[in-house]
Amino acid sequence: MTKNLLKFLVLALCISCNTENKNAEKPVEIDQATLAKHIERLASDAFLGRKPFTEGEVKTVNYLKDEFEKLGLSPGNGDSYFQEVPMVEIDGSPSEKMVISGKDGSFDLKVLSDFVATTSQVKTEIGLDRSELVFAGYGIVAPEYGWNDYEGIDWKGKTAVVLVNDPGFQSGDSTLFKGNAMTYYGRWTYKYEEAARQGADGVIIVHDTEPASYGWNVVESGWSGAKLIIESDLPLLKVESWVNQESAQKIFDASIMKGEDYKVLARSKGFEPIPLGLDVSVSIQNKIKKDVSKNVIALIPGTEKKDEVIIYSAHWDHLGVGKPIDGDSIYNGAIDNASGTAGLLAIAEAFKKNGPTKRSVAFIAVTAEEQGLLGSAYYAENPVFDPKKTVANINMDALGSPGKMKDLTITGYGQSEMDQYAEEAALEQGRYIIPDPHAEKGYFFRSDHFNFAKIGIPALYASGSYEGFDQSMESIKATLDDYNTHKYHQPSDEYDPETTELSGVSFDLQLFFEVGRKLANETYFPKWYEGSEFKAARE
C-alpha cells in the first residue's frame, strides 16, 4: 500500500467517524441557479463595471444589501449593512527626471521609461531633495529569520534602494526564508511599509522581471496616473519609487559599490546597509480628491457563541468604464469578481437553508480590491468583529473553474491549519489538494484574505485549477490561458448564460460552505503553522 493511499484511507476513516459538531442532516447543496442569477446581474452593463466612487458602486452595494436582507441576514455593522471606507484619490504627476548625484557628477533617469514615483502622503506637492541613497538589500526586518537589512543606520533623510522578492528566491536553499516560495517580506507593499517604519524618506525598488513575476510594462502602467489610498496614522514615505534594472545598474556603477554583485551581497545573512555615496532628487505634484466607499457586511448570528465569527469575503468592485476595446468600454468583471460576490450570496443562502450554527457567520463584500486591497485593509484596521474571536476567513476571488476539478489548489499552502480543513472537505468530494505551483509569484498576498491574515486570522484561498473530472489538464490550461490573455481586466470579461460553465464554481463553493459549516459548529480555533509570518499577530 502506498503512503498516499494509506493517508487517504486514514483521513477517510476519520471523516466517517468524526460526526461531533456536525448537523445530523445532510447539508444543502449550493444552488447553481442562484449563483448564475447574481453573476449575470452584477456583471451586467447596468452596474457600469462596479467602480468605487461611481454610480456603479451605488447600484452594487444597494443590490447586495437588498439581497442579504431578502435572505434574512442581519446587518453586520451594528444596525447597518455598510461599513464606510473613506478614501483619497491622489492623481500624481512626477517630475520628468529623477536626478542621481555624486562626487563625480550627476545623471538623470526619465519618468516611466526609467523610473516611476508615487506618494501616499496627502499633499499637493512632495518629493526628495538630495536625499542620501543607501543600499538596504531586500529591505527586510524579519526577527524569526535573524534578518535586519536596516540595522545600524539612522534612516532620517535617507532613501533606501531595495530588491524585489526575498533572499530565498532562486537561492537553491530551501531553509533561507521559504526557499522559492515568496513570503510577505518579498512583496513591494511590505518594502514601502518597512522603510516608513524605519523613518526613511523614500524607497527605490529595483525591478527584475523574474522575481517580480511581471515586466516593467506592468510597473509603468500600474504606478502612473490616479490611485486610491486610505488615510491612516501609520508612517508613510514621501516617495515610493521603482527603477528598471538598467537604471539600477547605472546607480550601482556610479556608487562605491561599482563592480560588486549587489544581488549576492543582499542574500548574505550578515548583510549590513551600504551608503552609496549618492543622493536622489525627484518631485511629485498631486491633485487630491476625498470620498467615501462602502464595504457590505451581513451576519447570521450563532446560537451559542455569537461573538465567535467565521468570515466569508469577496471584493465587489471592478474597473468601471474605461478605454474602449472593440467598441466596448464597460469592464464588467464577470469572473473578476462578480463570481466571488455572487458566491457570498449563494453560500449565505445555503447557510440559511441548512439551519442555525453555534458560531456566527459573516459575509463581507469589500471595496477597492482592484486599487490595492483597500476595503479589506480598512476593515483590518477597523474590524467590526474582534480579530481574536474571528475563527477564520474564507476568501473568494475570480472563481473561474471551467468544470468540476479533481484538484483543489491552495494558495498559501503550508501557512495554517486551514489546509487540513480544506483537505478533509476535498476528500469528501473525491478530490485532492495541491499547493500553488507558482508560490514564487506571491499570489497569497494579492487578494483580500491577506489583510485578514495580517491581523492574525487564518485564511483559506483556493480553487480548482488544474485537473478536471471530465476534462484534460491541457484543455483546462488552454481555457484559463485564454481568460488571462483575452478577458482578464478587459471589457470581454462578461457573463454569457449560453457559454459560461458554473459547475466547477458551484463545486468549489460547496467545499467552502462545508469548511465554514464545520468551523461554525465546533469550538476549535485553527492555528498558524510554525514559520508563518502571521503567527505572531494571532498570538
Side-chain angles (χ1 to χ4, degrees):
M1 182 179 293
T2 67
K3 288 184 178 180
N4 286 339
L5 180 57
L6 180 60
K7 181 179 180 182
F8 180 91
L9 291 173
V10 169
L11 281 169
L13 181 62
C14 291
I15 292 166
S16 64
C17 294
N18 183 19
T19 57
E20 182 183 2
N21 294 327
K22 286 194 175 184
N23 294 342
E25 300 83 5
K26 186 179 184 299
V28 299
E29 298 289 325
I30 293 293
D31 190 333
Q32 191 169 307
T34 294
L35 178 66
K37 175 183 72 174
H38 292 307
I39 294 176
E40 184 170 23
R41 184 71 179 131
L42 289 163
S44 68
D45 283 356
F47 283 70
L48 300 169
R50 305 189 308 279
K51 188 175 183 178
F53 294 179
T54 69
E55 181 62 25
E57 164 166 7
V58 176
K59 291 185 175 182
T60 302
V61 298
N62 286 332
Y63 177 83
L64 293 173
K65 179 250 184 190
D66 291 346
E67 292 301 317
F68 281 129
E69 205 166 20
K70 288 177 188 175
L71 288 171
L73 274 68
S74 304
N77 188 17
D79 59 359
S80 176
Y81 287 93
F82 300 130
Q83 180 186 40
E84 291 193 342
V85 181
M87 293 190 290
V88 182
E89 183 182 84
I90 302 178
D91 191 353
S93 298
S95 52
E96 291 295 317
K97 297 176 181 178
M98 174 183 280
V99 181
I100 308 296
S101 304
K103 65 178 183 178
D104 296 326
S106 65
F107 61 91
D108 300 337
L109 303 180
K110 295 180 180 178
V111 69
L112 296 183
S113 59
D114 297 331
F115 80 93
V116 295
T118 62
T119 185
S120 295
Q121 291 198 20
V122 185
K123 296 183 178 180
T124 56
E125 185 174 355
I126 199 165
L128 303 172
D129 183 14
R130 298 188 69 89
S131 176
E132 181 184 355
L133 288 176
V134 180
F135 181 49
Y138 284 92
I140 291 171
V141 178
E144 69 273 31
Y145 294 112
W147 204 277
N148 189 341
D149 286 329
Y150 285 96
E151 195 168 22
I153 293 278
D154 178 0
W155 285 91
K156 185 177 180 180
K158 297 178 176 62
T159 293
V161 179
V162 304
L163 308 184
V164 73
N165 216 306
D166 63 46
F169 180 74
Q170 289 190 339
S171 66
D173 182 355
S174 62
T175 66
L176 185 59
F177 283 66
K178 291 186 177 179
N180 230 33
M182 185 190 288
T183 65
Y184 180 53
Y185 299 118
R187 286 288 287 153
W188 59 267
T189 47
Y190 169 81
K191 313 289 185 183
Y192 294 152
E193 291 165 1
E194 187 58 54
R197 283 191 288 266
Q198 295 295 326
D201 277 359
V203 159
I204 297 174
I205 299 177
V206 176
H207 175 263
D208 189 345
T209 296
E210 197 167 3
S213 81
Y214 42 78
W216 179 254
N217 63 309
V218 174
V219 177
E220 189 176 349
S221 60
W223 274 265
S224 58
K227 70 171 185 174
L228 294 177
I229 66 159
I230 294 172
E231 284 192 278
S232 76
D233 296 328
L234 297 174
L236 296 170
L237 299 168
K238 290 181 179 179
V239 173
E240 304 163 348
S241 180
W242 290 72
V243 296
N244 61 23
Q245 270 198 292
E246 294 79 7
S247 299
Q249 194 61 58
K250 287 178 69 174
I251 291 172
F252 286 116
D253 286 345
S255 77
I256 66 169
M257 286 180 57
K258 182 176 182 179
E260 299 273 10
D261 188 330
Y262 61 86
K263 294 180 182 179
V264 171
L265 287 174
R267 192 172 281 149
S268 305
K269 194 163 187 179
F271 174 85
E272 295 180 355
I274 303 170
L276 295 177
L278 301 170
D279 57 48
V280 59
S281 298
V282 66
S283 64
I284 307 173
Q285 305 291 325
N286 297 312
K287 295 177 183 177
I288 308 296
K289 175 186 174 183
K290 297 187 178 184
D291 210 331
V292 175
S293 186
K294 291 182 175 69
N295 292 332
V296 185
I297 308 177
L299 183 70
I300 302 176
T303 57
E304 298 178 15
K305 296 179 177 294
K306 292 185 178 181
D307 59 341
E308 296 181 6
V309 183
I310 292 88
I311 293 177
Y312 286 90
S313 63
H315 72 91
W316 59 254
D317 66 298
H318 199 52
L319 304 179
V321 179
K323 177 183 177 181
I325 298 177
D326 295 330
D328 188 356
S329 61
I330 298 178
Y331 289 66
N332 304 84
I335 289 178
D336 185 15
N337 187 35
S339 64
T341 311
L344 287 178
L345 294 166
I347 291 175
E349 179 184 68
F351 268 103
K352 291 298 290 184
K353 289 180 178 178
N354 195 69
T357 55
K358 295 177 182 179
R359 287 168 159 164
S360 297
V361 184
F363 300 85
I364 305 182
V366 294
T367 182
E369 188 270 354
E370 301 289 3
Q371 301 289 330
L373 317 183
L374 298 186
S376 56
Y378 184 83
Y379 178 90
E381 291 183 15
N382 305 272
V384 172
F385 308 107
D386 183 354
K388 296 298 183 186
K389 293 186 178 181
T390 300
V391 179
N393 167 241
I394 300 171
N395 185 53
M396 296 168 286
D397 191 355
L399 301 175
S401 299
K404 290 186 177 181
M405 297 289 128
K406 289 182 180 180
D407 73 279
L408 180 74
T409 299
I410 299 179
T411 301
Y413 180 84
Q415 288 278 8
S416 80
E417 291 176 344
M418 289 298 289
D419 294 348
Q420 298 175 27
Y421 284 83
E423 183 168 24
E424 180 179 316
L427 286 172
E428 289 179 345
Q429 291 183 320
R431 307 169 74 178
Y432 60 87
I433 64 170
I434 59 173
D436 177 8
H438 302 294
E440 73 281 359
K441 295 184 178 179
Y443 289 129
F444 185 78
F445 314 111
R446 299 188 185 188
S447 192
D448 292 298
H449 60 278
F450 168 60
N451 282 318
F452 292 96
K454 282 178 75 174
I455 58 173
I457 300 169
L460 176 64
Y461 181 44
S463 65
S465 303
Y466 290 95
E467 183 181 7
F469 284 97
D470 302 314
Q471 297 182 65
S472 68
M473 296 176 76
E474 292 75 17
S475 172
I476 293 162
K477 183 179 185 302
T479 300
L480 297 178
D481 285 349
D482 178 72
Y483 170 77
N484 288 327
T485 302
H486 299 113
K487 295 183 179 181
Y488 174 67
H489 282 195
Q490 298 182 52
S492 51
D493 184 5
E494 297 181 308
Y495 178 77
D496 182 345
E498 300 299 321
T499 60
T500 302
E501 172 57 66
L502 292 177
S503 63
V505 176
S506 58
F507 200 47
D508 286 348
L509 292 174
Q510 189 71 37
L511 184 144
F512 302 150
F513 170 57
E514 298 298 348
V515 170
R517 195 174 74 97
K518 177 176 173 59
L519 288 165
N521 284 295
E522 64 181 18
T523 59
Y524 187 72
F525 278 75
K527 294 179 174 58
W528 294 101
Y529 291 136
E530 291 295 332
S532 170
E533 56 265 49
F534 308 109
K535 187 173 185 290
R538 187 61 150 184
E539 295 173 350

